[in-house]
Amino acid sequence: MNATILRRPQWPALASWRAWRSWRPELSTEALLVLSAVFFAVACNGPFWRSALAIHPGNPRLAAALFLLLVGVHALLLGLLAWRWNVRIVLSVLLPVALVATHYMRRYHLYLDADMLRNVLATDRKESGELLTLSLLLPLLASLPPLLLVWRIRLRRYRPGHALVRRGVFLLATLAVIAGGALLASQDVSSLLRNHREVRYLATPANMLVGLPRALRAEGPVRHTPRLPVGEDAQATPRGAGSRPRLLVVVAGETVRAANWGLNGYDRQTTPELARADVVNFTDMRACGTSTEVSLPCMFSPWGRHDYDEARIRSHQSLLHVLEHAGIATLWRDNQSGCKGVCEGLEIDQLDSGTDPALCADGRCLDEILLKDLPAQVRARPGDRVVVLHPLGNHGPSYFERYPAAFRRYTPTCDTPDLGHCSREQIVNSYDNALLYTDHLLARTIDTLRGMDDYDTAMIYLSDHGESLGEKGLYLHGMPRAIAPDQQTRVPMVMWLSPGLAGTRHLDLACLRERATQPTDQDALFSSVLGLMQVRTSLYDPRYDVFAGCQADT
């Protein structure tokens, strides 16, 4: 009799699990880097391919050349950065970060240059929280399969000398691939990189690997060393006995674009209260940059855009320090993410985490918090004062959170920070409602100054940069300034002067209104404030003082 051998049944799922556990392919580190470079070129560069191939459509030779360039550049960067001992960690960071970056670039049409990366580094917890939406789950889940592969692969070991030789050959091979890609379609590649340089900021994660060190270096002077002094020769012009002190409030606006500014002729009256306040409106104002991180230091700097030197601007003191040298006390009141070094070492009143139940909720405050107790704060120090108010303004993407319910005039609104779930009409409605509230804040500021009759008062409002609201598929801000659309670079500026200050400065307001129709840029702020407050310093430049040609005592 033949014996029957009984076998335990093999469940398919169990067999698959055992096969997976035993599957540990062996690769060299260089092979893993090549596979990663190919993955990045294919999975993380949708915006790059869409933009580059739209410029030269129907060109397979160019597509092949760009593929070789992407693979070669990423393999080269990874070859310099990742070795056997750290390659898993490097890729574990780069894979999800690259996919998340691609998600944001695709959704908002962003370009990741050094300035944008610096914005990311400077983003505070509240701002970043608004961008953490459920749509992030998709790129994070997409990063899991390649991450699992990275950790399942066994990496071959080589003797140190052999490993160095292999890496040298690998790097030479990547340079050969890059050269081959450039030569395959040399004219088209050259034309693309020369005439559309912004495309390189879409190559992910190369844009981050190259731009991040530059962004960190630019941050260095602000974060780690004291700012170098400027305007130490500043002196306030003496005035007669019995003269009232002067109070200037500068409102450094946030993300307000000129295109939607009611005073500029927008088809909606988004500035109804200012229209009744007898203000001087500058109709053609250009911003220094397209982000707070660039524009704020620039507009308070003596060099500005006309003599732009980012390292010098970030390493030196600002307009506020010059005023302090002249004996004019300053105060920075903030309802946002700080002054970006402009008020370093000076008096700061951080109000964004206030507890006023009428104005604050869930860790955010409405911008009217900036006016709370303002007269008392000013009078606490006698003499001339300059106060800067830094509102949250129209900072996106959560426009719907920037205004109280009473200002929800335009509907339907976009009531989520995930703009991809809203129509453009909803996004614009929410943005315009936030503008109505900015208008209200400025009108209330003027009313506050009118009530301080023991001072000669004035207000200057100037937005730091604009915003894209879906034009050409663009949203938010922060594009490289050289290619940024007008919506991100044209901003409003408004001035209001009390009769007392206009009279003592012998200002011709009709002349000033005429000046306000001429092209102006944010470089005007520095010398205009010095001129209005009658501060003498070698840094003052009458060419950039909008009051200079409209006063009798120049």
Side-chain angles (χ1 to χ4, degrees):
M1 180 181 293
N2 294 330
T4 302
I5 300 175
L6 298 178
R7 298 181 182 272
R8 295 168 62 184
Q10 295 292 309
W11 299 101
L14 183 59
S16 298
W17 170 246
R18 287 175 175 169
W20 166 252
R21 289 189 61 187
S22 63
W23 184 75
R24 295 292 305 275
E26 187 178 33
L27 291 176
S28 67
T29 304
E30 288 74 22
L32 177 58
L33 296 184
V34 170
L35 290 175
S36 300
V38 172
F39 177 84
F40 288 136
V42 174
C44 300
N45 277 277
F48 173 87
W49 289 113
R50 185 165 51 249
S51 179
L53 297 182
I55 297 169
H56 294 279
N59 191 334
R61 193 182 185 89
L62 175 63
L66 292 177
F67 179 76
L68 290 177
L69 285 171
L70 277 180
V71 172
V73 167
H74 284 107
L76 176 63
L77 292 172
L78 291 173
L80 296 171
L81 181 65
W83 298 76
R84 187 183 186 281
W85 62 271
N86 71 341
V87 64
R88 297 184 200 275
I89 297 173
V90 170
L91 293 177
S92 294
V93 173
L94 275 182
L95 285 166
V97 168
L99 286 167
V100 167
T102 304
H103 163 77
Y104 282 118
M105 292 163 66
R106 182 185 297 114
R107 183 163 289 252
Y108 300 118
H109 287 225
L110 303 178
Y111 290 76
L112 281 184
D113 62 346
D115 288 337
M116 179 60 76
L117 289 168
R118 188 163 52 245
N119 296 335
V120 173
L121 294 174
T123 300
D124 63 16
R125 176 182 54 81
K126 295 176 182 177
E127 290 180 0
S128 59
E130 293 177 357
L131 294 170
L132 300 179
T133 62
L134 289 176
S135 62
L136 274 181
L137 287 176
L138 185 60
L140 291 175
L141 290 173
S143 70
L144 292 180
L147 284 174
L148 286 173
L149 290 175
V150 165
W151 286 93
R152 292 298 296 172
I153 289 171
R154 290 182 297 167
L155 297 174
R156 294 192 185 113
R157 292 180 179 273
Y158 298 96
R159 292 189 302 274
H162 190 190
L164 285 174
V165 171
R166 286 181 59 87
R167 184 53 57 96
V169 172
F170 175 77
L171 294 176
L172 289 175
T174 63
L175 292 174
V177 171
I178 293 171
L183 292 173
L184 183 61
S186 58
Q187 287 187 335
D188 290 334
V189 169
S190 176
S191 172
L192 178 69
L193 297 181
R194 184 176 61 251
N195 300 322
H196 302 276
R197 299 180 63 191
E198 70 277 5
V199 172
R200 60 184 172 168
Y201 301 126
L202 298 174
T204 310
N207 46 14
M208 294 182 286
L209 294 174
V210 174
L212 190 58
R214 291 182 54 203
L216 291 172
R217 282 198 303 271
E219 284 292 280
V222 175
R223 292 191 172 186
H224 303 298
T225 60
R227 288 179 170 249
L228 299 174
V230 294
E232 291 183 297
D233 63 339
Q235 293 182 337
T237 301
R239 299 203 302 277
S243 299
R244 285 185 296 191
R246 291 171 180 161
L247 167 61
L248 170 63
V249 172
V250 177
V251 184
E254 173 62 43
T255 322
V256 174
R257 67 187 211 168
N260 291 47
W261 192 244
L263 292 176
N264 286 347
Y266 182 45
D267 56 7
R268 286 175 170 175
Q269 179 49 287
T270 53
T271 54
E273 295 186 61
L274 285 177
R276 299 189 294 267
D278 194 30
V279 297
V280 179
N281 180 59
F282 285 71
T283 57
D284 190 3
M285 169 63 66
R286 297 283 171 171
C288 183
T290 61
S291 67
T292 306
E293 195 67 24
V294 172
S295 283
L296 206 58
C298 182
M299 62 199 273
F300 281 89
S301 162
W303 300 290
R305 174 54 61 178
H306 68 276
D307 194 16
Y308 190 72
D309 185 332
E310 181 179 334
R312 183 163 61 162
I313 289 173
R314 291 182 173 277
S315 61
H316 284 75
Q317 294 177 342
S318 73
L319 168 64
L320 302 187
H321 298 88
V322 178
L323 294 168
E324 291 276 351
H325 294 323
I328 297 176
T330 64
L331 170 64
W332 185 283
R333 305 197 93 194
D334 202 283
N335 189 37
Q336 232 227 85
S337 57
C339 67
K340 312 303 180 186
V342 170
C343 60
E344 185 177 286
L346 304 178
E347 186 178 358
I348 307 170
D349 197 359
Q350 194 71 38
L351 301 169
D352 60 321
S353 297
T355 57
D356 186 325
L359 296 172
C360 306
D362 301 323
R364 280 287 196 195
C365 293
L366 294 170
D367 283 332
E368 285 176 276
I369 194 72
L370 294 168
L371 300 178
K372 186 176 182 181
D373 301 324
L374 178 60
Q377 284 272 55
V378 169
R379 293 180 176 119
R381 294 180 65 177
D384 291 352
R385 299 295 307 268
V386 172
V387 177
V388 181
L389 306 182
H390 190 204
L392 193 56
N394 279 51
H395 195 287
S398 298
Y399 308 120
F400 68 101
E401 293 184 339
R402 308 299 179 238
Y403 54 89
F407 289 83
R408 190 175 181 269
R409 180 177 306 173
Y410 305 113
T411 58
T413 54
C414 179
D415 297 330
T416 171
D418 194 342
L419 301 184
H421 291 162
C422 298
S423 67
R424 185 167 183 269
E425 178 193 10
Q426 291 173 310
I427 294 169
V428 172
N429 286 342
S430 294
Y431 184 89
D432 286 349
N433 289 336
L435 263 185
L436 288 171
Y437 185 59
T438 292
D439 169 69
H440 177 70
L441 170 72
L442 297 178
R444 276 211 57 203
T445 303
I446 293 171
D447 289 341
T448 300
L449 295 178
R450 282 192 176 119
M452 299 179 67
D453 54 10
D454 49 336
Y455 284 82
D456 288 334
T457 57
M459 181 198 76
I460 298 175
Y461 170 79
L462 177 57
S463 181
D464 57 355
H465 56 80
E467 186 89 327
S468 288
L469 298 175
E471 299 85 6
K472 298 180 180 179
L474 297 174
Y475 289 92
L476 303 181
H477 54 267
M479 287 191 69
R481 192 179 187 278
I483 62 167
D486 281 353
Q487 290 85 1
Q488 294 189 28
T489 58
R490 287 196 64 224
V491 295
M493 183 167 83
V494 163
M495 294 181 177
W496 174 87
L497 300 101
S498 69
L501 183 56
T504 59
R505 294 296 289 111
H506 306 290
L507 286 171
D508 182 345
L509 293 184
C511 169
L512 187 60
R513 293 184 197 282
E514 175 61 29
R515 171 66 182 84
T517 64
Q518 301 171 18
T520 317
D521 58 39
Q522 289 180 337
D523 290 2
L525 182 66
F526 187 92
S527 287
S528 296
V529 169
L530 293 178
L532 186 65
M533 299 302 289
Q534 289 187 286
V535 173
R536 299 192 304 270
T537 170
S538 59
L539 296 174
Y540 170 79
D541 190 337
R543 294 176 301 168
Y544 299 102
D545 180 359
V546 298
F547 302 107
C550 296
Q551 55 191 24
D553 57 344
T554 57

PDB file of all heavy atoms in Angstrom, residues 9 29 42 45 103 108-109 131 133 144 177 207 210 227 260 267 308 344 381 393 406 424 432-433 453 483 545:
ATOM      1  N   PRO A   9      -1.995  22.987   3.395  1.00  0.00           N
ATOM      2  CA  PRO A   9      -2.341  23.850   2.251  1.00  0.00           C
ATOM      3  C   PRO A   9      -1.552  25.168   2.281  1.00  0.00           C
ATOM      4  O   PRO A   9      -1.284  25.721   3.342  1.00  0.00           O
ATOM      5  CB  PRO A   9      -3.847  24.087   2.430  1.00  0.00           C
ATOM      6  CG  PRO A   9      -4.097  23.876   3.887  1.00  0.00           C
ATOM      7  CD  PRO A   9      -3.130  22.808   4.320  1.00  0.00           C
ATOM      8  N   THR A  29      25.278  50.952  -4.938  1.00  0.00           N
ATOM      9  CA  THR A  29      24.723  52.264  -4.584  1.00  0.00           C
ATOM     10  C   THR A  29      24.502  53.106  -5.829  1.00  0.00           C
ATOM     11  O   THR A  29      23.491  53.813  -5.947  1.00  0.00           O
ATOM     12  CB  THR A  29      25.669  52.997  -3.623  1.00  0.00           C
ATOM     13  OG1 THR A  29      25.900  52.183  -2.475  1.00  0.00           O
ATOM     14  CG2 THR A  29      25.085  54.326  -3.169  1.00  0.00           C
ATOM     15  N   VAL A  42      10.703  61.079 -14.109  1.00  0.00           N
ATOM     16  CA  VAL A  42       9.399  60.647 -14.613  1.00  0.00           C
ATOM     17  C   VAL A  42       8.262  61.068 -13.684  1.00  0.00           C
ATOM     18  O   VAL A  42       7.240  61.611 -14.132  1.00  0.00           O
ATOM     19  CB  VAL A  42       9.375  59.116 -14.812  1.00  0.00           C
ATOM     20  CG1 VAL A  42       7.984  58.639 -15.181  1.00  0.00           C
ATOM     21  CG2 VAL A  42      10.391  58.703 -15.876  1.00  0.00           C
ATOM     22  N   ASN A  45       8.338  65.483 -12.156  1.00  0.00           N
ATOM     23  CA  ASN A  45       8.606  66.627 -13.025  1.00  0.00           C
ATOM     24  C   ASN A  45       7.494  66.913 -14.012  1.00  0.00           C
ATOM     25  O   ASN A  45       7.742  67.411 -15.115  1.00  0.00           O
ATOM     26  CB  ASN A  45       9.932  66.402 -13.759  1.00  0.00           C
ATOM     27  CG  ASN A  45      11.125  66.796 -12.904  1.00  0.00           C
ATOM     28  OD1 ASN A  45      11.489  67.963 -12.835  1.00  0.00           O
ATOM     29  ND2 ASN A  45      11.706  65.824 -12.218  1.00  0.00           N
ATOM     30  N   HIS A 103       3.442  68.396  -6.034  1.00  0.00           N
ATOM     31  CA  HIS A 103       2.005  68.609  -5.796  1.00  0.00           C
ATOM     32  C   HIS A 103       1.682  70.093  -5.703  1.00  0.00           C
ATOM     33  O   HIS A 103       0.753  70.587  -6.360  1.00  0.00           O
ATOM     34  CB  HIS A 103       1.606  67.883  -4.510  1.00  0.00           C
ATOM     35  CG  HIS A 103       0.296  68.323  -3.938  1.00  0.00           C
ATOM     36  ND1 HIS A 103      -0.911  67.928  -4.449  1.00  0.00           N
ATOM     37  CD2 HIS A 103       0.011  69.143  -2.885  1.00  0.00           C
ATOM     38  CE1 HIS A 103      -1.900  68.471  -3.747  1.00  0.00           C
ATOM     39  NE2 HIS A 103      -1.359  69.214  -2.795  1.00  0.00           N
ATOM     40  N   TYR A 108      -0.509  75.123  -7.703  1.00  0.00           N
ATOM     41  CA  TYR A 108      -0.474  76.589  -7.677  1.00  0.00           C
ATOM     42  C   TYR A 108       0.437  77.193  -8.749  1.00  0.00           C
ATOM     43  O   TYR A 108       0.639  78.395  -8.766  1.00  0.00           O
ATOM     44  CB  TYR A 108      -0.014  77.068  -6.299  1.00  0.00           C
ATOM     45  CG  TYR A 108      -0.918  76.622  -5.181  1.00  0.00           C
ATOM     46  CD1 TYR A 108      -0.451  75.789  -4.169  1.00  0.00           C
ATOM     47  CD2 TYR A 108      -2.247  77.034  -5.127  1.00  0.00           C
ATOM     48  CE1 TYR A 108      -1.278  75.381  -3.136  1.00  0.00           C
ATOM     49  CE2 TYR A 108      -3.088  76.625  -4.108  1.00  0.00           C
ATOM     50  CZ  TYR A 108      -2.592  75.794  -3.106  1.00  0.00           C
ATOM     51  OH  TYR A 108      -3.418  75.392  -2.085  1.00  0.00           O
ATOM     52  N   HIS A 109       1.035  76.353  -9.609  1.00  0.00           N
ATOM     53  CA  HIS A 109       1.963  76.818 -10.644  1.00  0.00           C
ATOM     54  C   HIS A 109       3.114  77.605 -10.027  1.00  0.00           C
ATOM     55  O   HIS A 109       3.448  78.711 -10.468  1.00  0.00           O
ATOM     56  CB  HIS A 109       1.231  77.662 -11.693  1.00  0.00           C
ATOM     57  CG  HIS A 109       0.366  76.849 -12.612  1.00  0.00           C
ATOM     58  ND1 HIS A 109       0.327  77.026 -13.974  1.00  0.00           N
ATOM     59  CD2 HIS A 109      -0.492  75.827 -12.374  1.00  0.00           C
ATOM     60  CE1 HIS A 109      -0.519  76.164 -14.521  1.00  0.00           C
ATOM     61  NE2 HIS A 109      -1.026  75.432 -13.558  1.00  0.00           N
ATOM     62  N   LEU A 131      -1.690  75.219   4.663  1.00  0.00           N
ATOM     63  CA  LEU A 131      -1.369  74.489   3.436  1.00  0.00           C
ATOM     64  C   LEU A 131      -1.414  72.980   3.616  1.00  0.00           C
ATOM     65  O   LEU A 131      -1.283  72.231   2.645  1.00  0.00           O
ATOM     66  CB  LEU A 131       0.019  74.907   2.942  1.00  0.00           C
ATOM     67  CG  LEU A 131       0.132  76.362   2.476  1.00  0.00           C
ATOM     68  CD1 LEU A 131       1.588  76.737   2.249  1.00  0.00           C
ATOM     69  CD2 LEU A 131      -0.677  76.599   1.206  1.00  0.00           C
ATOM     70  N   THR A 133      -3.448  70.316   3.756  1.00  0.00           N
ATOM     71  CA  THR A 133      -4.805  69.874   3.467  1.00  0.00           C
ATOM     72  C   THR A 133      -4.809  68.380   3.141  1.00  0.00           C
ATOM     73  O   THR A 133      -3.760  67.752   2.981  1.00  0.00           O
ATOM     74  CB  THR A 133      -5.374  70.657   2.276  1.00  0.00           C
ATOM     75  OG1 THR A 133      -4.566  70.387   1.117  1.00  0.00           O
ATOM     76  CG2 THR A 133      -5.337  72.165   2.561  1.00  0.00           C
ATOM     77  N   LEU A 144       5.243  55.914  -0.778  1.00  0.00           N
ATOM     78  CA  LEU A 144       5.457  54.678  -0.007  1.00  0.00           C
ATOM     79  C   LEU A 144       6.076  53.553  -0.832  1.00  0.00           C
ATOM     80  O   LEU A 144       7.022  52.910  -0.374  1.00  0.00           O
ATOM     81  CB  LEU A 144       4.132  54.228   0.622  1.00  0.00           C
ATOM     82  CG  LEU A 144       3.584  55.142   1.719  1.00  0.00           C
ATOM     83  CD1 LEU A 144       2.270  54.586   2.263  1.00  0.00           C
ATOM     84  CD2 LEU A 144       4.587  55.316   2.853  1.00  0.00           C
ATOM     85  N   VAL A 177      26.354  61.822 -19.761  1.00  0.00           N
ATOM     86  CA  VAL A 177      24.918  61.785 -20.067  1.00  0.00           C
ATOM     87  C   VAL A 177      24.385  63.207 -20.235  1.00  0.00           C
ATOM     88  O   VAL A 177      23.598  63.497 -21.149  1.00  0.00           O
ATOM     89  CB  VAL A 177      24.158  61.039 -18.955  1.00  0.00           C
ATOM     90  CG1 VAL A 177      22.644  61.193 -19.143  1.00  0.00           C
ATOM     91  CG2 VAL A 177      24.535  59.566 -18.951  1.00  0.00           C
ATOM     92  N   ASN A 207      15.915  71.542  -8.177  1.00  0.00           N
ATOM     93  CA  ASN A 207      15.687  72.930  -7.770  1.00  0.00           C
ATOM     94  C   ASN A 207      15.913  73.115  -6.269  1.00  0.00           C
ATOM     95  O   ASN A 207      16.459  74.126  -5.827  1.00  0.00           O
ATOM     96  CB  ASN A 207      14.286  73.395  -8.172  1.00  0.00           C
ATOM     97  CG  ASN A 207      13.210  72.386  -7.836  1.00  0.00           C
ATOM     98  OD1 ASN A 207      13.414  71.435  -7.078  1.00  0.00           O
ATOM     99  ND2 ASN A 207      12.019  72.575  -8.393  1.00  0.00           N
ATOM    100  N   VAL A 210      19.808  72.547  -5.291  1.00  0.00           N
ATOM    101  CA  VAL A 210      20.649  73.682  -5.668  1.00  0.00           C
ATOM    102  C   VAL A 210      20.229  74.954  -4.930  1.00  0.00           C
ATOM    103  O   VAL A 210      21.077  75.734  -4.483  1.00  0.00           O
ATOM    104  CB  VAL A 210      20.591  73.899  -7.194  1.00  0.00           C
ATOM    105  CG1 VAL A 210      21.341  75.170  -7.590  1.00  0.00           C
ATOM    106  CG2 VAL A 210      21.180  72.703  -7.923  1.00  0.00           C
ATOM    107  N   ARG A 227      22.925  93.103  12.695  1.00  0.00           N
ATOM    108  CA  ARG A 227      22.918  93.872  11.459  1.00  0.00           C
ATOM    109  C   ARG A 227      23.903  95.035  11.547  1.00  0.00           C
ATOM    110  O   ARG A 227      24.054  95.660  12.595  1.00  0.00           O
ATOM    111  CB  ARG A 227      21.513  94.392  11.182  1.00  0.00           C
ATOM    112  CG  ARG A 227      20.575  93.278  10.744  1.00  0.00           C
ATOM    113  CD  ARG A 227      19.170  93.795  10.486  1.00  0.00           C
ATOM    114  NE  ARG A 227      18.397  92.747   9.849  1.00  0.00           N
ATOM    115  CZ  ARG A 227      17.984  92.776   8.590  1.00  0.00           C
ATOM    116  NH1 ARG A 227      18.275  93.799   7.829  1.00  0.00           N
ATOM    117  NH2 ARG A 227      17.295  91.778   8.086  1.00  0.00           N
ATOM    118  N   ASN A 260      -7.214  94.573  -8.055  1.00  0.00           N
ATOM    119  CA  ASN A 260      -8.494  94.469  -7.361  1.00  0.00           C
ATOM    120  C   ASN A 260      -8.736  95.631  -6.404  1.00  0.00           C
ATOM    121  O   ASN A 260      -9.632  95.562  -5.564  1.00  0.00           O
ATOM    122  CB  ASN A 260      -8.578  93.141  -6.593  1.00  0.00           C
ATOM    123  CG  ASN A 260      -8.677  91.944  -7.502  1.00  0.00           C
ATOM    124  OD1 ASN A 260      -7.924  91.819  -8.458  1.00  0.00           O
ATOM    125  ND2 ASN A 260      -9.615  91.047  -7.214  1.00  0.00           N
ATOM    126  N   ASP A 267     -13.701  96.998 -11.136  1.00  0.00           N
ATOM    127  CA  ASP A 267     -15.137  97.065 -11.376  1.00  0.00           C
ATOM    128  C   ASP A 267     -15.972  96.810 -10.122  1.00  0.00           C
ATOM    129  O   ASP A 267     -17.188  96.992 -10.142  1.00  0.00           O
ATOM    130  CB  ASP A 267     -15.564  96.117 -12.503  1.00  0.00           C
ATOM    131  CG  ASP A 267     -15.160  94.675 -12.248  1.00  0.00           C
ATOM    132  OD1 ASP A 267     -14.669  94.379 -11.133  1.00  0.00           O
ATOM    133  OD2 ASP A 267     -15.328  93.834 -13.162  1.00  0.00           O
ATOM    134  N   TYR A 308      19.805  97.032  -6.130  1.00  0.00           N
ATOM    135  CA  TYR A 308      19.494  95.835  -5.351  1.00  0.00           C
ATOM    136  C   TYR A 308      20.726  94.980  -5.096  1.00  0.00           C
ATOM    137  O   TYR A 308      21.475  94.622  -6.007  1.00  0.00           O
ATOM    138  CB  TYR A 308      18.427  94.996  -6.073  1.00  0.00           C
ATOM    139  CG  TYR A 308      17.885  93.878  -5.217  1.00  0.00           C
ATOM    140  CD1 TYR A 308      17.052  94.163  -4.146  1.00  0.00           C
ATOM    141  CD2 TYR A 308      18.213  92.552  -5.466  1.00  0.00           C
ATOM    142  CE1 TYR A 308      16.545  93.150  -3.355  1.00  0.00           C
ATOM    143  CE2 TYR A 308      17.711  91.534  -4.667  1.00  0.00           C
ATOM    144  CZ  TYR A 308      16.877  91.844  -3.611  1.00  0.00           C
ATOM    145  OH  TYR A 308      16.383  90.844  -2.821  1.00  0.00           O
ATOM    146  N   GLU A 344      14.750  94.422  13.796  1.00  0.00           N
ATOM    147  CA  GLU A 344      15.632  93.695  14.707  1.00  0.00           C
ATOM    148  C   GLU A 344      16.235  94.631  15.758  1.00  0.00           C
ATOM    149  O   GLU A 344      16.821  95.675  15.451  1.00  0.00           O
ATOM    150  CB  GLU A 344      16.749  93.023  13.915  1.00  0.00           C
ATOM    151  CG  GLU A 344      17.656  92.152  14.758  1.00  0.00           C
ATOM    152  CD  GLU A 344      18.695  91.444  13.914  1.00  0.00           C
ATOM    153  OE1 GLU A 344      18.324  90.489  13.204  1.00  0.00           O
ATOM    154  OE2 GLU A 344      19.866  91.869  13.944  1.00  0.00           O
ATOM    155  N   ARG A 381       5.813 107.088  24.888  1.00  0.00           N
ATOM    156  CA  ARG A 381       7.140 107.683  24.658  1.00  0.00           C
ATOM    157  C   ARG A 381       6.934 109.039  24.003  1.00  0.00           C
ATOM    158  O   ARG A 381       6.356 109.126  22.917  1.00  0.00           O
ATOM    159  CB  ARG A 381       8.005 106.783  23.778  1.00  0.00           C
ATOM    160  CG  ARG A 381       8.362 105.474  24.443  1.00  0.00           C
ATOM    161  CD  ARG A 381       9.230 104.605  23.552  1.00  0.00           C
ATOM    162  NE  ARG A 381      10.538 105.210  23.283  1.00  0.00           N
ATOM    163  CZ  ARG A 381      11.494 104.609  22.571  1.00  0.00           C
ATOM    164  NH1 ARG A 381      11.282 103.397  22.059  1.00  0.00           N
ATOM    165  NH2 ARG A 381      12.654 105.210  22.378  1.00  0.00           N
ATOM    166  N   GLY A 393      -3.668  90.816   6.388  1.00  0.00           N
ATOM    167  CA  GLY A 393      -4.155  91.269   5.091  1.00  0.00           C
ATOM    168  C   GLY A 393      -4.835  90.200   4.269  1.00  0.00           C
ATOM    169  O   GLY A 393      -5.740  89.510   4.733  1.00  0.00           O
ATOM    170  N   ALA A 406     -19.287  90.021   8.722  1.00  0.00           N
ATOM    171  CA  ALA A 406     -19.953  91.232   8.224  1.00  0.00           C
ATOM    172  C   ALA A 406     -19.391  91.698   6.886  1.00  0.00           C
ATOM    173  O   ALA A 406     -20.044  92.472   6.171  1.00  0.00           O
ATOM    174  CB  ALA A 406     -19.813  92.355   9.261  1.00  0.00           C
ATOM    175  N   ARG A 424     -12.804  79.647  -9.672  1.00  0.00           N
ATOM    176  CA  ARG A 424     -12.081  80.923  -9.639  1.00  0.00           C
ATOM    177  C   ARG A 424     -12.993  82.038  -9.120  1.00  0.00           C
ATOM    178  O   ARG A 424     -12.542  82.940  -8.411  1.00  0.00           O
ATOM    179  CB  ARG A 424     -11.568  81.274 -11.041  1.00  0.00           C
ATOM    180  CG  ARG A 424     -10.707  82.526 -11.038  1.00  0.00           C
ATOM    181  CD  ARG A 424      -9.939  82.731 -12.333  1.00  0.00           C
ATOM    182  NE  ARG A 424      -9.103  83.915 -12.192  1.00  0.00           N
ATOM    183  CZ  ARG A 424      -9.488  85.138 -12.531  1.00  0.00           C
ATOM    184  NH1 ARG A 424     -10.698  85.331 -13.033  1.00  0.00           N
ATOM    185  NH2 ARG A 424      -8.676  86.167 -12.378  1.00  0.00           N
ATOM    186  N   ASP A 432     -11.705  89.427  -2.546  1.00  0.00           N
ATOM    187  CA  ASP A 432     -12.278  90.772  -2.531  1.00  0.00           C
ATOM    188  C   ASP A 432     -12.933  91.091  -1.191  1.00  0.00           C
ATOM    189  O   ASP A 432     -12.905  92.251  -0.740  1.00  0.00           O
ATOM    190  CB  ASP A 432     -13.282  90.933  -3.667  1.00  0.00           C
ATOM    191  CG  ASP A 432     -12.603  91.056  -5.029  1.00  0.00           C
ATOM    192  OD1 ASP A 432     -11.370  91.229  -5.054  1.00  0.00           O
ATOM    193  OD2 ASP A 432     -13.307  90.965  -6.055  1.00  0.00           O
ATOM    194  N   ASN A 433     -13.527  90.102  -0.550  1.00  0.00           N
ATOM    195  CA  ASN A 433     -14.063  90.329   0.792  1.00  0.00           C
ATOM    196  C   ASN A 433     -12.947  90.697   1.768  1.00  0.00           C
ATOM    197  O   ASN A 433     -13.118  91.572   2.633  1.00  0.00           O
ATOM    198  CB  ASN A 433     -14.793  89.083   1.293  1.00  0.00           C
ATOM    199  CG  ASN A 433     -16.101  88.837   0.563  1.00  0.00           C
ATOM    200  OD1 ASN A 433     -16.704  89.763   0.006  1.00  0.00           O
ATOM    201  ND2 ASN A 433     -16.542  87.592   0.517  1.00  0.00           N
ATOM    202  N   ASP A 453      -5.509 114.477  18.425  1.00  0.00           N
ATOM    203  CA  ASP A 453      -5.269 115.867  18.047  1.00  0.00           C
ATOM    204  C   ASP A 453      -4.096 116.502  18.767  1.00  0.00           C
ATOM    205  O   ASP A 453      -3.793 117.680  18.543  1.00  0.00           O
ATOM    206  CB  ASP A 453      -6.539 116.702  18.246  1.00  0.00           C
ATOM    207  CG  ASP A 453      -7.104 116.572  19.653  1.00  0.00           C
ATOM    208  OD1 ASP A 453      -6.421 115.998  20.526  1.00  0.00           O
ATOM    209  OD2 ASP A 453      -8.240 117.028  19.868  1.00  0.00           O
ATOM    210  N   ILE A 483       9.940  87.030 -14.261  1.00  0.00           N
ATOM    211  CA  ILE A 483       8.852  86.477 -15.080  1.00  0.00           C
ATOM    212  C   ILE A 483       7.502  86.607 -14.387  1.00  0.00           C
ATOM    213  O   ILE A 483       6.506  86.100 -14.892  1.00  0.00           O
ATOM    214  CB  ILE A 483       9.119  85.001 -15.415  1.00  0.00           C
ATOM    215  CG1 ILE A 483       9.186  84.162 -14.125  1.00  0.00           C
ATOM    216  CG2 ILE A 483      10.371  84.833 -16.237  1.00  0.00           C
ATOM    217  CD1 ILE A 483       9.126  82.675 -14.360  1.00  0.00           C
ATOM    218  N   ASP A 545      11.846 110.594  -3.083  1.00  0.00           N
ATOM    219  CA  ASP A 545      10.950 111.199  -2.097  1.00  0.00           C
ATOM    220  C   ASP A 545       9.751 111.776  -2.845  1.00  0.00           C
ATOM    221  O   ASP A 545       9.881 112.764  -3.575  1.00  0.00           O
ATOM    222  CB  ASP A 545      11.684 112.291  -1.315  1.00  0.00           C
ATOM    223  CG  ASP A 545      10.803 112.969  -0.278  1.00  0.00           C
ATOM    224  OD1 ASP A 545       9.606 112.605  -0.170  1.00  0.00           O
ATOM    225  OD2 ASP A 545      11.311 113.863   0.425  1.00  0.00           O
TER     226      ASP A 545
END
